[in-house]
């Protein structure tokens, strides 16, 4: 929705050709999927479970500070692994091809207060189909933030840096509320609909189980370490929430990422759909460990092009995708985590204030316009 | 409180500790073959039998209930990362002391699982198991005279019987292309030498196919014998006809291996078995659209293959992925994305 369309130089044929080239990349990975990939996800799952077991074991003695530190760190990492590299990706159906009912999008449940079923609908379906389309993809600002100059400003938005911070700390609850579409469903009539009630019940049940486990059962098992264990699990959840929130903000918020109007996706071809994913996502650069801890969402662009390819393949796919960006003279938005997080937060602050419409984002383009 | 009730209480508490996973998810890490786990087995050895057949020695999990000679077991093996299920006859005797069981597998051309098991399977690998099943078994009362009529890998369930129970008078007629293709040949000849078995080998490359009408030349008293036959469909059809022509069909027991060959075509008749509706589909229209048009309640989402909101079991037949052209055939546990799959021949969708 920026004033200057960064894809304006592409012809319709070029866009369809781009689509075919991306399809070819996808086909190649699918043809090569096999034993190694299966071994990878099994190894990650087993490592996550072992790490969680050991960390919870150590926390039984969390009355001793070193045990508290070690257990909390381990549990935080285990929760991040469960959420990112495993949960998010399994629920995308990335591993369904293995036909292992235990590692399957239809059976997986994650360590998160949002039930998998509901998250799959709002994330896989709404967000991934309508990526960055204002009014259709609520991931843009989660309905509580203004994310583009062209959105109408409201005094409520003055507080958005604060909302965003609170959302980061309690991200899993934010997601659950978001999957329930709480904002829209709290109106009197909708609140009573049996469909909404069933979903709200499912969330309630999941929250109860999760809270009981983290804040009652495990602390109780720790006996004299009750309070330290409680604090440890709270901290691990907090760390996981802030981490995932940061990673996810980097996916679509940094400067340079495009948003789209509802109108623009009418009759969208495959090529155009791909193009929207390319322009609507941003990556995080970094080490392999970094990619792993983000659940490979550091390859957000590749993930949005091919949400169902196994995550361990995004790194190799990225090389080819990036070459296509260059070939078609498009901007591949990427940068190290601190830079991207800063960029996203900067935007949150900037857009909390009103602006004159329309605003042109890219200064050199502005000059071009003036020159013209 | 009874101990069972206590145990189930304790289990409930454990589930609260491990939610959203189950205690078994953690126990599986250390003890996948324990009692109470999903039934699995560990491959402990693979012994070649002929050029294209091998015996796989499996240590089943503690939940294994044991088999009856002649029965088969379904196993789930990960081939190139994909879990595939096949059924194989059990060839070990029922009283094997070490608790292991064996299946004997013949690699069939293009057979993914059979080639994997014969040529690539490694000791130590975990496989999934079902409990043994099948009614191709011996009766309680010993028959006086027995005939085993087998061909190719049809010998495998019969080998399970031969190794299990000795009869006074056993004849076996076995067909294989050449002598070196006869699975268990040395063992069979050992039984012959010990006078425990009378064996006729038909080598079809040189002798031609066995003509059932002339079975009497090989086994004059065939009609008096309780017979167990296993082999390709042609042989079994001929046998069934022959036995009923002579009015002794109740003496014949057959076992058919169904390779379940699906001929993938372009479009076909689609059955939505849960709703009981059948419609014709072309090879280009997504099954999601076909179902919706027929008034079947189909789950859906993005309608473009990315959200996995439309996955549905494929119960029979084959479908083609409209994006890659890849064919998926029905097998237990196979789910397809209906929004990007079209009928590749007749198929059955559980909706
Ligand atoms: S409807 Fe989304 S994958 Fe089929």
């Amino acid at each position: 929705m920026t004033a200057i369309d960064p894809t304006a130089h592409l012809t319709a044929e070029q866009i369809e050709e781009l689509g075919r080239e991306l399809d070819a990349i996808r086909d190649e990975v699918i043809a090569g999927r096999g034993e190694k990939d299966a071994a990878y996800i099994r190894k990650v799952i087993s490592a996550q479970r072992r790490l969680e077991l050991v960390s919870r074991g150590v926390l039984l003695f969390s009355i001793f500070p070193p045990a508290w530190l070690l257990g909390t760190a381990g549990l935080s990492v285990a929760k991040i692994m469960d959420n990112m590299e495993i949960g998010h990706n399994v629920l995308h159906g990335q591993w369904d091809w293995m036909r292992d009912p235990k590692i399957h999008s239809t059976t997986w449940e994650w360590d998160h207060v949002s039930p998998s079923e509901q998250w799959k609908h709002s994330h896989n379906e709404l967000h991934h189909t309508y990526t960055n389309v204002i009014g259709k993809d609520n991931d843009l600002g989660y309905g509580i933030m203004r994310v583009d100059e062209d959105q109408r400003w409201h005094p409520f938005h003055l507080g958005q840096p604060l909302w965003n911070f609170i959302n980061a700390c309690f991200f899993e609850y934010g997601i659950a509320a978001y999957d329930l579409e709480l904002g829209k469903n709290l109106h009197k009539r909708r609140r009573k609909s049996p469909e909404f009630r069933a979903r709200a019940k499912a969330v309630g049940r999941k929250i109860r189980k999760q809270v009981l486990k983290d804040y009652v059962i495990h602390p109780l098992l720790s006996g004299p370490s009750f309070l330290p264990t409680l604090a440890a699990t709270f901290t691990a959840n907090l760390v996981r929430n802030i981490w995932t929130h940061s990673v996810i903000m980097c996916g679509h918020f940094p400067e340079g990422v495009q948003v789209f109007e509802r109108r623009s996706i009418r009759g969208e071809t495959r090529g155009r759909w791909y193009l929207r994913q390319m322009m609507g996502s941003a990556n995080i650069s970094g080490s392999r460990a970094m990619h792993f801890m983000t659940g490979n969402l550091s390859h957000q662009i590749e993930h949005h092009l091919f949400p169902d390819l196994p995550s361990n393949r995004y790194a190799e796919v990225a090389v080819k995708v990036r070459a296509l960006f260059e070939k078609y003279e498009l901007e591949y938005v990427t940068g190290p985590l601190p830079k991207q997080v800063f960029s996203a937060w900067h935007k949150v602050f900037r857009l909390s204030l009103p602006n004159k419409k329309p605003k042109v984002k890219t200064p050199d383009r502005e000059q071009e316009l003036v020159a013209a | 409180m009874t101990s069972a009730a206590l145990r189930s209480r304790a289990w409930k508490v454990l589930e609260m500790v491990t939610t959203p996973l189950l205690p078994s998810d953690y126990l599986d890490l250390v003890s996948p073959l324990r009692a109470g786990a999903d039934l699995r087995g560990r491959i402990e050895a693979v012994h070649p039998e002929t050029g294209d057949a091998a015996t796989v020695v499996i240590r089943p999990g503690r939940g294994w209930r044991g088999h009856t000679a002649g029965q088969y077991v379904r196993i789930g093996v990960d081939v190139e990362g994909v879990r595939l299920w096949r059924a194989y006859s059990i060839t070990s005797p029922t009283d094997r002391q070490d608790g292991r069981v064996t299946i004997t597998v013949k690699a069939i051309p293009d057979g993914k699982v059979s080639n994997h098991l014969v040529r690539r399977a490694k000791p130590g690998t975990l496989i999934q198991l079902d409990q043994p099943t099948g009614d191709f078994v011996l009766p309680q009362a010993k028959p006086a005279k027995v005939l085993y009529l087998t061909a190719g890998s049809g010998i495998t369930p019969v080998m399970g019987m031969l190794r299990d129970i000795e009869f006074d008078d056993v004849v076996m007629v076995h067909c294989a292309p050449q002598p070196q293709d006869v699975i268990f040949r040395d063992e069979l000849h050992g039984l012959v030498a010990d006078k425990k078995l009378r064996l006729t080998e038909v080598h079809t490359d040189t002798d031609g196919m066995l003509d059932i009408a002339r079975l009497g030349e090989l086994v004059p008293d065939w009609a008096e014998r309780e017979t167990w036959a296993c082999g390709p469909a042609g042989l079994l059809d001929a046998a069934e006809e022959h036995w009923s022509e002579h009015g002794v069909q109740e003496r014949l027991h057959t076992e058919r291996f169904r390779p379940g060959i699906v001929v993938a075509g372009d479009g076909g008749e689609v059955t939505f078995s849960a709703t009981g509706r059948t419609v014709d589909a072309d090879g280009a229209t997504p099954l999601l659209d076909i179902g919706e048009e027929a008034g079947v309640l189909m789950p859906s989402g993005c309608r473009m293959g990315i959200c996995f909101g439309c996955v549905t079991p494929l119960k029979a037949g084959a479908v083609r992925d409209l994006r890659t052209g890849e064919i998926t055939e029905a097998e237990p546990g196979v789910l397809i994305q209906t929004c990007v799959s079209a009928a590749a021949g007749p198929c059955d969708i559980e909706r």
Side-chain angles (χ1 to χ4, degrees), chain A residues 27-74:
Chain A
D27 292 350
E28 201 179 311
V29 174
I30 288 190
R33 269 185 327 206
E35 216 161 294
K36 269 201 202 147
D37 303 280
Y40 169 78
I41 190 65
R42 290 217 165 87
K43 202 171 102 196
V44 171
I45 291 174
S46 137
Q48 190 276 339
R49 289 183 182 166
R50 284 167 206 268
L51 178 60
E52 184 180 345
L53 269 182
V54 170
S55 307
R56 299 239 190 218
V58 170
L59 285 177
L60 296 177
F61 310 96
S62 52
I63 200 160
F64 307 108
W68 189 91
L69 270 178
L70 198 68
T72 307

Side-chain angles (χ1 to χ4, degrees), chain A residues 26-27 30 33-35 38 42 46 49-50 52-53 91-93 96-102 104-106 109-111 124-125 128-129 206 209-210 212-213 217-218 221 270 273 307-308, chain B residues 13 16-21 24-26 28-30 38 40 78-85 116 300-302 304-309 311 321 323-324 326 328-329 331 333-335 337:
Chain A
R26 180 175 188 279
D27 292 350
I30 288 190
R33 269 185 327 206
E35 216 161 294
R42 290 217 165 87
S46 137
R49 289 183 182 166
R50 284 167 206 268
E52 184 180 345
L53 269 182
L91 291 176
H92 259 294
D96 281 14
W97 58 273
M98 288 162 60
R99 297 187 186 170
D100 181 342
K102 301 224 155 150
H104 200 278
S105 63
T106 53
E109 195 52 74
W110 55 353
D111 185 12
N124 287 5
E125 190 183 329
H128 274 272
T129 314
K206 187 81 193 283
K209 279 191 183 170
Q210 291 288 106
L212 204 64
K213 167 180 81 159
I217 307 263
H218 282 281
L221 285 175
R270 180 140 185 90
W273 183 81
D308 60 344
Chain B
V13 173
M16 290 204 271
V17 173
T18 60
T19 188
L21 299 180
S24 59
D25 291 323
Y26 292 96
D28 283 353
L29 290 177
V30 283
D38 288 354
R40 303 183 184 89
D78 294 335
V79 182
E80 286 164 19
V82 183
R83 182 156 306 164
L84 301 172
W85 286 85
H116 178 86
S300 70
C302 65
M304 57 189 296
I306 59 166
C307 76
F308 286 67
V311 291
D321 188 315
R323 302 165 297 179
T324 57
E326 199 191 337
T328 302
E329 288 172 16
E331 268 179 59
V334 168
L335 302 165
Q337 289 170 277

Side-chain angles (χ1 to χ4, degrees), chain B residues 41-105:
Chain B
R42 179 176 282 125
I43 295 179
E44 295 203 330
V46 181
H47 305 301
E49 295 283 356
T50 64
D52 57 3
T55 290
V56 183
V57 182
I58 299 164
R59 148 102 40 217
R62 298 274 300 281
W64 178 257
R65 289 203 283 266
H67 74 286
T68 307
Q71 285 191 316
Y72 62 86
V73 60
R74 275 175 20 95
I75 66 171
V77 192
D78 294 335
V79 182
E80 286 164 19
V82 183
R83 182 156 306 164
L84 301 172
W85 286 85
R86 297 287 186 273
Y88 293 104
S89 297
I90 300 172
T91 48
S92 49
T94 52
D95 58 354
R96 195 171 154 138
Q97 289 309 310
D98 60 10
R100 298 174 174 98
V101 291
T102 63
I103 54 173
T104 303
V105 180

Side-chain angles (χ1 to χ4, degrees), chain B residues 129-146:
Chain B
L129 288 181
D130 269 355
Q131 295 293 350
T133 177
D135 43 19
F136 186 70
V137 293
L138 298 171
Q140 292 291 343
K142 273 192 183 188
K145 292 167 145 194
V146 170

Side-chain angles (χ1 to χ4, degrees), chain A residues 249-291:
Chain A
M249 282 244 294
C250 293
H252 303 287
F253 284 75
E255 301 287 356
V257 170
Q258 309 293 315
V259 296
F260 306 88
E261 272 181 280
R262 260 174 204 250
R263 260 186 292 143
S264 71
I265 60 161
R266 233 178 268 151
E268 192 175 55
T269 60
R270 180 140 185 90
R272 289 213 168 265
W273 183 81
Y274 269 138
L275 190 59
R276 176 157 56 84
Q277 305 303 326
M278 293 167 85
M279 302 320 297
S281 313
N283 281 6
I284 304 167
S285 57
S287 63
R288 279 182 61 175
M290 172 75 198
H291 293 310

